[in-house]
Short mmCIF file of all heavy atoms in Angstrom, two decimals:
data_model
loop_
_atom_site.label_atom_id
_atom_site.label_comp_id
_atom_site.label_asym_id
_atom_site.label_seq_id
_atom_site.Cartn_x
_atom_site.Cartn_y
_atom_site.Cartn_z
N LEU P 27 70.93 102.07 91.25
CA LEU P 27 70.93 103.10 90.33
C LEU P 27 69.59 103.12 89.48
O LEU P 27 69.03 102.15 89.19
CB LEU P 27 72.07 103.11 89.39
CG LEU P 27 73.50 102.91 89.94
CD1 LEU P 27 74.51 103.00 88.95
CD2 LEU P 27 73.68 103.99 91.00
N SER P 28 69.23 104.31 89.18
CA SER P 28 67.95 104.49 88.29
C SER P 28 68.30 105.30 87.15
O SER P 28 69.11 106.21 87.13
CB SER P 28 66.85 105.15 89.09
OG SER P 28 66.49 104.40 90.21
N CYS P 29 67.67 104.98 86.01
CA CYS P 29 67.81 105.74 84.78
C CYS P 29 66.35 106.02 84.32
O CYS P 29 65.67 105.05 83.80
CB CYS P 29 68.55 104.92 83.73
SG CYS P 29 68.50 105.51 82.04
N GLN P 30 65.96 107.25 84.40
CA GLN P 30 64.55 107.51 84.11
C GLN P 30 64.50 108.40 82.77
O GLN P 30 65.20 109.43 82.65
CB GLN P 30 63.83 108.26 85.21
CG GLN P 30 62.43 108.57 84.93
CD GLN P 30 61.62 108.97 86.23
OE1 GLN P 30 62.24 109.38 87.22
NE2 GLN P 30 60.32 108.76 86.22
N ALA P 31 63.66 108.02 81.86
CA ALA P 31 63.33 108.77 80.69
C ALA P 31 62.21 109.65 80.87
O ALA P 31 61.21 109.40 81.56
CB ALA P 31 63.13 107.79 79.55
N SER P 32 62.28 110.84 80.20
CA SER P 32 61.21 111.82 80.30
C SER P 32 59.96 111.35 79.62
O SER P 32 58.87 111.82 79.96
CB SER P 32 61.72 113.12 79.75
OG SER P 32 62.12 113.06 78.41
N LYS P 33 60.06 110.43 78.63
CA LYS P 33 59.01 109.85 77.90
C LYS P 33 59.19 108.39 77.75
O LYS P 33 60.27 107.90 78.03
CB LYS P 33 58.76 110.58 76.53
CG LYS P 33 58.45 112.07 76.71
CD LYS P 33 58.34 112.75 75.29
CE LYS P 33 57.98 114.22 75.48
NZ LYS P 33 57.76 114.87 74.16
N SER P 34 58.27 107.77 77.10
CA SER P 34 58.33 106.30 76.83
C SER P 34 58.95 105.91 75.59
O SER P 34 58.80 104.72 75.08
CB SER P 34 56.90 105.67 76.92
OG SER P 34 56.12 106.25 75.90
N ALA P 35 59.73 106.80 75.02
CA ALA P 35 60.29 106.60 73.67
C ALA P 35 61.34 105.42 73.63
O ALA P 35 61.50 104.84 72.55
CB ALA P 35 61.04 107.90 73.25
N PHE P 36 61.91 104.94 74.72
CA PHE P 36 62.94 103.96 74.77
C PHE P 36 62.44 102.61 75.22
O PHE P 36 63.19 101.67 75.24
CB PHE P 36 64.07 104.36 75.74
CG PHE P 36 64.64 105.73 75.35
CD1 PHE P 36 64.45 106.79 76.09
CD2 PHE P 36 65.54 105.82 74.24
CE1 PHE P 36 64.99 108.00 75.75
CE2 PHE P 36 66.11 106.99 73.95
CZ PHE P 36 65.84 108.14 74.65
N ASN P 37 61.12 102.42 75.29
CA ASN P 37 60.60 101.20 75.85
C ASN P 37 60.79 100.00 74.86
O ASN P 37 60.79 98.85 75.36
CB ASN P 37 59.09 101.31 76.15
CG ASN P 37 58.86 102.10 77.43
OD1 ASN P 37 59.76 102.38 78.18
ND2 ASN P 37 57.61 102.39 77.60
N ASN P 38 60.97 100.27 73.59
CA ASN P 38 61.29 99.17 72.66
C ASN P 38 62.69 98.93 72.25
O ASN P 38 63.08 98.27 71.34
CB ASN P 38 60.45 99.44 71.31
CG ASN P 38 58.94 99.19 71.55
OD1 ASN P 38 58.58 98.31 72.32
ND2 ASN P 38 58.08 99.94 70.94
N PHE P 39 63.62 99.63 73.00
CA PHE P 39 65.08 99.58 72.79
C PHE P 39 65.71 98.70 73.86
O PHE P 39 65.32 98.63 74.95
CB PHE P 39 65.68 100.99 72.82
CG PHE P 39 65.38 101.83 71.60
CD1 PHE P 39 64.21 102.58 71.58
CD2 PHE P 39 66.26 101.98 70.64
CE1 PHE P 39 63.93 103.35 70.48
CE2 PHE P 39 66.00 102.74 69.48
CZ PHE P 39 64.84 103.49 69.44
N ARG P 40 66.78 98.09 73.42
CA ARG P 40 67.70 97.49 74.31
C ARG P 40 68.38 98.60 75.09
O ARG P 40 68.87 99.61 74.48
CB ARG P 40 68.73 96.61 73.66
CG ARG P 40 69.80 96.02 74.56
CD ARG P 40 70.81 95.24 73.77
NE ARG P 40 70.29 94.02 73.38
CZ ARG P 40 70.81 93.18 72.46
NH1 ARG P 40 72.04 93.52 71.90
NH2 ARG P 40 70.25 92.10 72.09
N MET P 41 68.48 98.57 76.37
CA MET P 41 69.07 99.61 77.22
C MET P 41 70.38 99.02 77.90
O MET P 41 70.44 97.76 78.11
CB MET P 41 68.14 100.10 78.25
CG MET P 41 66.86 100.73 77.70
SD MET P 41 67.22 102.29 76.79
CE MET P 41 67.84 103.27 78.13
N GLY P 42 71.30 99.87 78.15
CA GLY P 42 72.50 99.49 78.74
C GLY P 42 73.01 100.42 79.80
O GLY P 42 72.79 101.66 79.70
N TRP P 43 73.70 99.86 80.82
CA TRP P 43 74.45 100.71 81.77
C TRP P 43 75.92 100.56 81.39
O TRP P 43 76.39 99.47 81.11
CB TRP P 43 74.21 100.15 83.18
CG TRP P 43 72.94 100.55 83.82
CD1 TRP P 43 71.76 99.82 83.86
CD2 TRP P 43 72.69 101.82 84.42
NE1 TRP P 43 70.83 100.52 84.56
CE2 TRP P 43 71.33 101.78 84.94
CE3 TRP P 43 73.45 102.95 84.73
CZ2 TRP P 43 70.73 102.92 85.57
CZ3 TRP P 43 72.87 104.07 85.39
CH2 TRP P 43 71.55 103.96 85.87
N HIS P 44 76.56 101.67 81.38
CA HIS P 44 77.97 101.79 81.16
C HIS P 44 78.68 102.53 82.34
O HIS P 44 78.01 103.22 83.05
CB HIS P 44 78.30 102.49 79.82
CG HIS P 44 77.57 102.02 78.64
ND1 HIS P 44 76.20 102.14 78.44
CD2 HIS P 44 78.13 101.27 77.59
CE1 HIS P 44 75.93 101.51 77.26
NE2 HIS P 44 77.07 101.02 76.71
N ARG P 45 79.97 102.37 82.45
CA ARG P 45 80.75 103.13 83.47
C ARG P 45 82.07 103.57 82.93
O ARG P 45 82.56 103.01 82.05
CB ARG P 45 80.84 102.19 84.73
CG ARG P 45 81.78 101.05 84.54
CD ARG P 45 81.72 100.14 85.78
NE ARG P 45 82.54 99.04 85.71
CZ ARG P 45 82.64 98.03 86.68
NH1 ARG P 45 81.90 98.12 87.66
NH2 ARG P 45 83.43 96.99 86.43
N GLN P 46 82.55 104.58 83.55
CA GLN P 46 83.81 105.16 83.14
C GLN P 46 84.59 105.53 84.41
O GLN P 46 84.15 106.47 85.19
CB GLN P 46 83.62 106.39 82.24
CG GLN P 46 85.00 106.95 81.71
CD GLN P 46 84.81 107.94 80.63
OE1 GLN P 46 83.67 108.60 80.57
NE2 GLN P 46 85.73 108.15 79.78
N ALA P 47 85.74 104.89 84.66
CA ALA P 47 86.62 105.20 85.74
C ALA P 47 87.65 106.27 85.27
O ALA P 47 87.91 106.31 84.10
CB ALA P 47 87.33 103.96 86.25
N PRO P 48 88.18 107.00 86.28
CA PRO P 48 89.21 107.96 85.84
C PRO P 48 90.32 107.37 85.00
O PRO P 48 90.96 106.41 85.50
CB PRO P 48 89.70 108.57 87.14
CG PRO P 48 88.49 108.39 88.09
CD PRO P 48 87.87 106.98 87.65
N GLY P 49 90.65 108.03 83.92
CA GLY P 49 91.74 107.46 83.05
C GLY P 49 91.32 106.31 82.11
O GLY P 49 92.18 105.92 81.38
N ASN P 50 90.18 105.83 82.23
CA ASN P 50 89.68 104.71 81.42
C ASN P 50 88.62 105.12 80.48
O ASN P 50 87.94 106.21 80.62
CB ASN P 50 89.23 103.59 82.32
CG ASN P 50 90.22 102.86 83.22
OD1 ASN P 50 91.37 103.05 82.89
ND2 ASN P 50 89.85 102.31 84.23
N GLU P 51 88.45 104.30 79.41
CA GLU P 51 87.34 104.61 78.48
C GLU P 51 86.06 104.10 79.14
O GLU P 51 86.03 103.23 80.00
CB GLU P 51 87.56 103.88 77.19
CG GLU P 51 88.74 104.48 76.42
CD GLU P 51 88.83 103.93 74.98
OE1 GLU P 51 88.25 102.86 74.76
OE2 GLU P 51 89.46 104.60 74.13
N ARG P 52 84.97 104.64 78.62
CA ARG P 52 83.60 104.13 79.07
C ARG P 52 83.49 102.70 78.61
O ARG P 52 83.74 102.39 77.45
CB ARG P 52 82.57 105.05 78.48
CG ARG P 52 81.16 104.76 78.93
CD ARG P 52 80.13 105.74 78.28
NE ARG P 52 80.13 107.05 78.98
CZ ARG P 52 80.59 108.13 78.34
NH1 ARG P 52 81.13 108.06 77.17
NH2 ARG P 52 80.53 109.29 79.04
N GLU P 53 83.00 101.77 79.54
CA GLU P 53 82.80 100.46 79.15
C GLU P 53 81.39 99.95 79.56
O GLU P 53 80.74 100.50 80.41
CB GLU P 53 83.79 99.62 79.93
CG GLU P 53 83.60 99.70 81.47
CD GLU P 53 84.50 98.65 82.21
OE1 GLU P 53 85.22 97.84 81.56
OE2 GLU P 53 84.55 98.76 83.48
N LEU P 54 80.97 98.94 78.76
CA LEU P 54 79.64 98.36 79.03
C LEU P 54 79.63 97.58 80.32
O LEU P 54 80.57 96.87 80.59
CB LEU P 54 79.34 97.49 77.84
CG LEU P 54 77.95 96.72 77.94
CD1 LEU P 54 76.79 97.69 77.87
CD2 LEU P 54 77.83 95.73 76.73
N VAL P 55 78.54 97.62 81.09
CA VAL P 55 78.38 96.84 82.24
C VAL P 55 77.30 95.82 82.12
O VAL P 55 77.46 94.61 82.46
CB VAL P 55 78.03 97.80 83.46
CG1 VAL P 55 77.70 96.95 84.70
CG2 VAL P 55 79.22 98.77 83.72
N ALA P 56 76.13 96.20 81.67
CA ALA P 56 75.04 95.35 81.50
C ALA P 56 73.95 95.92 80.51
O ALA P 56 73.93 97.12 80.27
CB ALA P 56 74.31 95.13 82.88
N THR P 57 73.30 95.03 79.95
CA THR P 57 72.18 95.39 79.00
C THR P 57 70.88 94.61 79.32
O THR P 57 70.91 93.54 79.96
CB THR P 57 72.53 95.13 77.56
OG1 THR P 57 72.63 93.73 77.28
CG2 THR P 57 73.83 95.84 77.16
N ILE P 58 69.77 95.16 78.89
CA ILE P 58 68.49 94.51 78.97
C ILE P 58 67.65 94.85 77.77
O ILE P 58 67.65 95.97 77.32
CB ILE P 58 67.70 94.93 80.31
CG1 ILE P 58 66.41 94.22 80.44
CG2 ILE P 58 67.51 96.44 80.29
CD1 ILE P 58 65.81 94.27 81.80
N THR P 59 67.11 93.87 77.18
CA THR P 59 66.30 94.05 76.02
C THR P 59 64.86 94.43 76.38
O THR P 59 64.48 94.47 77.54
CB THR P 59 66.19 92.69 75.14
OG1 THR P 59 65.39 91.74 75.85
CG2 THR P 59 67.58 92.11 74.83
N SER P 60 64.13 94.78 75.30
CA SER P 60 62.71 95.21 75.60
C SER P 60 61.87 94.08 76.13
O SER P 60 60.94 94.33 76.87
CB SER P 60 62.11 95.78 74.30
OG SER P 60 62.00 94.68 73.30
N GLY P 61 62.35 92.82 75.89
CA GLY P 61 61.69 91.70 76.45
C GLY P 61 62.21 91.24 77.78
O GLY P 61 61.64 90.21 78.33
N GLY P 62 63.18 91.88 78.30
CA GLY P 62 63.77 91.56 79.59
C GLY P 62 64.91 90.58 79.66
O GLY P 62 65.36 90.28 80.74
N SER P 63 65.49 90.22 78.48
CA SER P 63 66.70 89.41 78.44
C SER P 63 67.88 90.28 78.93
O SER P 63 67.94 91.46 78.45
CB SER P 63 66.94 88.89 77.13
OG SER P 63 65.91 87.98 76.77
N THR P 64 68.76 89.80 79.73
CA THR P 64 69.83 90.48 80.30
C THR P 64 71.18 89.96 79.91
O THR P 64 71.34 88.79 79.56
CB THR P 64 69.76 90.56 81.82
OG1 THR P 64 69.77 89.25 82.35
CG2 THR P 64 68.52 91.17 82.23
N TYR P 65 72.21 90.83 79.93
CA TYR P 65 73.63 90.50 79.72
C TYR P 65 74.45 91.27 80.68
O TYR P 65 74.18 92.42 81.01
CB TYR P 65 74.02 90.83 78.28
CG TYR P 65 75.47 90.88 78.16
CD1 TYR P 65 76.18 89.72 77.89
CD2 TYR P 65 76.20 92.12 78.15
CE1 TYR P 65 77.57 89.75 77.76
CE2 TYR P 65 77.59 92.09 77.99
CZ TYR P 65 78.19 90.95 77.86
OH TYR P 65 79.60 90.98 77.68
N TYR P 66 75.54 90.55 81.18
CA TYR P 66 76.41 91.16 82.12
C TYR P 66 77.86 90.86 81.80
O TYR P 66 78.13 89.79 81.29
CB TYR P 66 76.16 90.77 83.56
CG TYR P 66 74.80 90.93 84.12
CD1 TYR P 66 73.84 89.87 83.97
CD2 TYR P 66 74.39 92.04 84.80
CE1 TYR P 66 72.56 90.01 84.39
CE2 TYR P 66 73.10 92.22 85.22
CZ TYR P 66 72.18 91.24 85.04
OH TYR P 66 70.95 91.39 85.50
N VAL P 67 78.71 91.87 81.93
CA VAL P 67 80.12 91.60 81.68
C VAL P 67 80.56 90.65 82.96
O VAL P 67 80.01 90.67 84.06
CB VAL P 67 80.99 92.85 81.69
CG1 VAL P 67 80.64 93.65 80.42
CG2 VAL P 67 80.79 93.73 82.90
N ASP P 68 81.64 89.90 82.71
CA ASP P 68 82.05 88.98 83.66
C ASP P 68 82.40 89.58 85.00
O ASP P 68 82.22 88.99 86.06
CB ASP P 68 83.26 88.14 83.19
CG ASP P 68 82.94 87.19 82.09
OD1 ASP P 68 81.67 86.81 81.94
OD2 ASP P 68 83.84 86.73 81.40
N SER P 69 82.94 90.80 85.01
CA SER P 69 83.33 91.46 86.26
C SER P 69 82.25 91.78 87.21
O SER P 69 82.50 91.93 88.40
CB SER P 69 84.16 92.64 85.94
OG SER P 69 83.42 93.59 85.24
#
């Protein structure tokens, strides 16, 4: 998957991928900091 910004405004932000299955709330999947540190949910 790709997430492209129209400008460079988010380069200093922690970014995250979320997902939402039918009938469920949107949940966090993974994050990455501006420095490249990552986090993933156990699943």
Side-chain angles (χ1 to χ4, degrees):
L27 307 184
S28 297
C29 171
Q30 186 163 20
S32 58
K33 298 179 180 179
S34 61
F36 302 106
N37 286 350
N38 288 324
F39 286 84
R40 175 183 290 169
M41 299 294 294
W43 282 97
H44 303 72
R45 65 186 181 186
Q46 185 171 24
N50 294 338
E51 292 189 340
R52 186 180 281 109
E53 65 175 350
L54 177 67
V55 175
T57 65
I58 184 167
T59 69
S60 60
S63 297
T64 59
Y65 163 81
Y66 305 91
V67 295
D68 288 342
S69 60

